Every structure is written in structure tokens, then in C-alpha cells.
Amino acid sequence: MIVIISDDITGAAEIAGIAHGYGLTTILTTGEQCLKTSNAEVVVFAADTRSMSEEEACDTMRRIATPLKEVEELYVFKKIDSVLRGHVTAEMQALMDTLQCPRALLVPQNPSKQRIIRNGEYLIENIPLHQTPFRDDPEYPASTSQVEELLQHRAQVLQVAEVLPAAGICVANAESIEQVAAQTAKCTSMGATLPTGMGGILIGGAADAFGTWLKQLYPDIENREKPSALPPVTEVNRALIVCGSTQSKSIVQLPYLRAIDATEVMMPEDVFHGSDEQMWFRLLQEEYEQSPVMVMGIGDYGNFGAAYALRLKEVMAQAVHALIMQHPPQLLLIEGGATAFAILSKLRWSTFSVEGQYAPGVVGIRHGNIHIILKPGSYPWGAIFGRYK
């Protein structure tokens, strides 16, 4: 069994989509127990620890990892944020301690998206990380591009030609897919991936690292029959589209949404700043009753920090819960990982089958009769609506 533990649900979905794309039966879960009765080849845990305190995040890692020690032929991959937001090294250390792995390698960069680490510096399209929009992240603003500083000096940079030390956490320099593969290969040789307490190496990384690690783990995986990408959405009887980013722009003028006469109801500014939300909830329910396709969003009123972000995702979760109890949609599309996790938790939906990808990182999952699309905030809408780009 392959187990992936992710610190947010869109990252978990992205990895689940990659595994499914290689023909592996895959389950995504927001619970904390290993699905021992499942016949799935891949189980992806979406833990939402990025939104927790460090202590809560580490406790969650230990609760997820402890039952895994009883699983035979276990391979573990820790999905981390590609720009190192969250409690990256603390969570890795908690897993290392629980699974008895003395060393770990972090390979967070995605050269396929022009995100690289060069000489210990994180660059996006050759721009230092702290000079990109990630400097304004509401929970983890990037104040530096030096990866050792981003990781609070709890990890050391590892060059491509260097051998992993016997203990501790390293973060990989890599500027290309080939260099990512050279780094992940250090974790797949001689059974090093198995966290058995016998010198095993725990690997953490983003999508590019997972893809190379998976192909190294199963060299014949390219020969498997692979499912096709999911077709673009072109018609739907009832859909609820949730824009969960605090920087969300209006999307109702996208050609596809315009063609199907979608209704958009954005959060009023006073609700954004903490006023009572009940009037907005009633408006949402009225519009949802009349509109086959409704878009709801937070709106772009500025960045007011972590406390705002935590409250806003809870408000959105309450609103969506009420709407789905009113009328279950055929399609639920959620933009933004923290909002998605809050919504699915409020609905008490915890286990999902993976149906495929619309594009890398934009993944379709299913709970009962409801098709759910999870989209990271920075990914394009055109991947979902196809010819309506």
C-alpha cells in the first residue's frame, strides 16, 4: 500500500489525481484512520494541518502514522506545500519519530511550474519567493527566499551530487525534473523508502517529486492502462461553485458560466469584516432556489491576516452546508484548500473515490451522488470549462 499524508486537501487531491492517472485505485480521506478494509492501492490522507498550530499538526501526524506501523509493504510519501508553507519540518519530524525513520528528504519544488531551488534559494520564474505574491499569503507570508530560513533552520540543503546524511532532515536543491528525479532516487534505492526503523528514508515533496518517486518505486507503472482525463464540464443540472480565496475575482463572466446564465452572490464587505452573516445566508438560499448554477465567493476586500482567513472559511462552510441541505447539487466545485476542507468537514463527508483529473492539480472526486471538483486558488478555471476558456 502507498500512503500519502498531505497538509491540505487540494494538495492531497493533486497527488490522488496523479496516482489515479497512473491507473492505481485511489481513495482520498479526511479521516485519521488507515482504511484497512479498503482494496485501494493508494490511500491519501488530507489532514488540513497547515491551518493548525504546530502542536496540533504534530499530534495529527502521530495519530495518522501510528496505525500505519501495522501495515505490511507500506510506502509513505509526505505531501508538503510546494513553497514550504505550513509546519513542514515539525510534521516531518513527528512522522519520522512515529515511523522510526532517522532521516528525511524534502523535495518541494515543481520545475514543471518553474518553481525551483537553486543554491538554497527558492525561485518562481527566476523571481525570489519573497518578491512574488506569496509574500502576501494571509497565514504564511514569505519573508525570505532562503529555504533554510523558511524551514527555521531545521533542515539543511542537499546538493544533487551529495549523499544523504545518516540522520536529520535535508531539503533538495533541484532546478529540473531530472535533478528532482536524481534527488528522489536517493529515497528509492535499496528499499530506503520503507519506514521500518532500519535506516529508512522518509520523503516529502510536491507533485513533481511524487511523480518521479512513484515511477522509481514501480518501474513498470508506465505500462499500466491509464484512465483518460476527465472531459470538461459542458452542462450540469444543478451546480454550486464556491470561490474560497480571499483574493477571488468575479468569475461569472467566464464564457461558460455566462452561457448557462449562472448567478453570482459574493460576500458583502460588512460580513467580510465580521458583521452578522444571516442576511447574506438568506440571500444565498433565495438565489440558490431559483438558480440552477450559483457561484458564491468571499470577494477581494484585502488581506487582513490569519484570524480573518480562519473566520471566513468557517462562514463559507456554514453557508454551503445550509445550501446543500436545502438542495444537494449535482456538482460541487470548490476553489481553495482551506475552504474545501472546512466545507467537507461541516458536511461530515470524509471518504471520497477519485474520478480523475481535469488538468494537473484540478481533480474530480465523488461522495455518493455528488461530483466534487477541487481547484487550487492559483490554477486556471479553463481546465474545468475546456473550450470556454
Side-chain angles (χ1 to χ4, degrees):
M1 175 185 285
I2 297 174
V3 168
I4 298 100
I5 305 172
S6 176
D7 68 348
D8 84 318
I9 195 167
T10 51
E14 180 176 27
I15 296 299
I18 294 171
H20 179 273
Y22 278 109
L24 297 168
T25 55
T26 306
I27 285 176
L28 174 67
T29 179
T30 58
E32 294 183 357
Q33 297 301 311
C34 186
L35 304 178
K36 293 183 179 179
T37 59
S38 171
N39 293 321
E41 296 168 280
V42 178
V43 178
V44 186
F45 289 92
D48 197 44
T49 49
R50 198 183 304 170
S51 297
M52 300 177 185
S53 69
E54 182 174 306
E55 182 180 0
E56 291 171 328
C58 291
D59 286 344
T60 300
M61 289 298 106
R62 285 187 282 267
R63 287 197 302 270
I64 292 173
T66 297
L68 300 181
K69 294 189 290 185
E70 308 301 320
V71 179
E72 296 182 0
E73 298 184 27
L74 173 70
Y75 298 89
V76 175
F77 185 94
K78 175 65 171 73
K79 168 64 173 69
I80 62 174
D81 181 55
S82 64
V83 294
L84 296 170
R85 291 172 295 180
H87 312 292
V88 177
T89 50
E91 291 183 21
M92 289 295 289
Q93 191 64 58
L95 288 175
M96 292 163 65
D97 293 344
T98 306
L99 297 172
Q100 298 180 314
C101 290
R103 49 189 177 162
L105 178 64
L106 302 173
V107 193
Q109 58 272 73
N110 279 325
S112 64
K113 297 182 176 66
Q114 299 186 62
R115 298 182 178 191
I116 66 171
I117 297 175
R118 175 187 297 147
N119 297 323
E121 183 179 25
Y122 202 111
L123 304 169
I124 300 179
E125 297 180 345
N126 282 320
I127 299 172
L129 179 65
H130 67 289
Q131 296 176 19
T132 72
F134 287 104
R135 68 178 178 270
D136 298 320
D137 186 87
E139 294 186 79
Y140 298 99
S143 59
T144 179
S145 60
Q146 298 300 314
V147 295
E148 289 189 357
E149 293 179 18
L150 289 166
L151 296 173
Q152 301 174 312
H153 298 282
R154 298 177 181 178
Q156 65 183 69
V157 172
L158 186 74
Q159 303 294 339
V160 176
E162 284 186 293
V163 176
L164 272 165
I169 302 174
C170 291
V171 58
N173 263 332
E175 302 180 42
S176 65
I177 290 290
E178 292 75 19
Q179 290 186 348
V180 166
Q183 294 282 24
T184 60
K186 297 170 185 177
C187 304
T188 52
S189 61
M190 300 172 59
T193 307
L194 293 173
T196 59
M198 300 175 64
I201 302 168
L202 184 65
I203 183 169
D208 283 358
F210 179 73
T212 60
W213 176 82
L214 192 62
K215 286 184 279 189
Q216 290 163 355
L217 201 61
Y218 297 131
D220 64 342
I221 200 167
E222 296 276 17
N223 299 324
R224 279 190 177 227
E225 184 176 351
K226 301 177 181 62
S228 301
L230 292 174
V233 174
T234 55
E235 63 177 83
V236 66
N237 294 328
R238 177 173 286 277
L240 179 59
I241 302 172
V242 183
C243 300
S245 169
T246 54
Q247 282 80 47
S248 291
K249 308 296 184 184
S250 173
I251 65 166
V252 77
Q253 292 305 314
L254 287 174
Y256 169 72
L257 296 179
R258 208 167 54 236
I260 61 175
D261 197 25
T263 298
E264 185 173 65
V265 185
M266 301 301 284
M267 181 183 291
E269 188 170 3
D270 64 331
V271 174
F272 178 89
H273 288 297
S275 293
D276 184 77
E277 62 270 6
Q278 293 306 312
M279 188 175 293
W280 184 54
F281 285 1
R282 286 193 291 273
L283 175 61
L284 285 169
Q285 290 169 339
E286 291 169 6
E287 293 291 347
Y288 186 60
E289 189 70 35
Q290 301 171 17
S291 306
V293 178
M294 190 176 81
V295 179
M296 59 178 289
I298 293 175
D300 186 8
Y301 299 116
N303 179 2
F304 292 87
Y308 260 70
L310 290 170
R311 180 180 57 80
L312 289 169
K313 72 177 182 180
E314 179 59 26
V315 171
M316 294 292 280
Q318 290 177 17
V320 173
H321 178 269
L323 295 176
I324 290 179
M325 293 300 101
Q326 180 179 337
H327 282 305
Q330 179 187 4
L331 168 66
L332 174 61
L333 196 166
I334 312 174
E335 176 193 42
T339 300
F341 190 91
I343 289 169
L344 299 177
S345 297
K346 181 71 70 175
L347 291 165
R348 297 187 178 181
W349 298 349
S350 61
T351 303
F352 310 87
S353 58
V354 179
E355 298 202 316
Q357 301 181 86
Y358 291 89
V362 182
V363 178
I365 60 177
R366 179 168 292 276
H367 180 84
N369 294 323
I370 299 179
H371 181 64
I372 304 164
I373 302 175
L374 301 179
K375 186 189 91 65
S378 60
Y379 286 40
W381 291 96
I384 300 167
F385 301 125
R387 59 191 175 90
Y388 295 95
K389 290 189 231 183

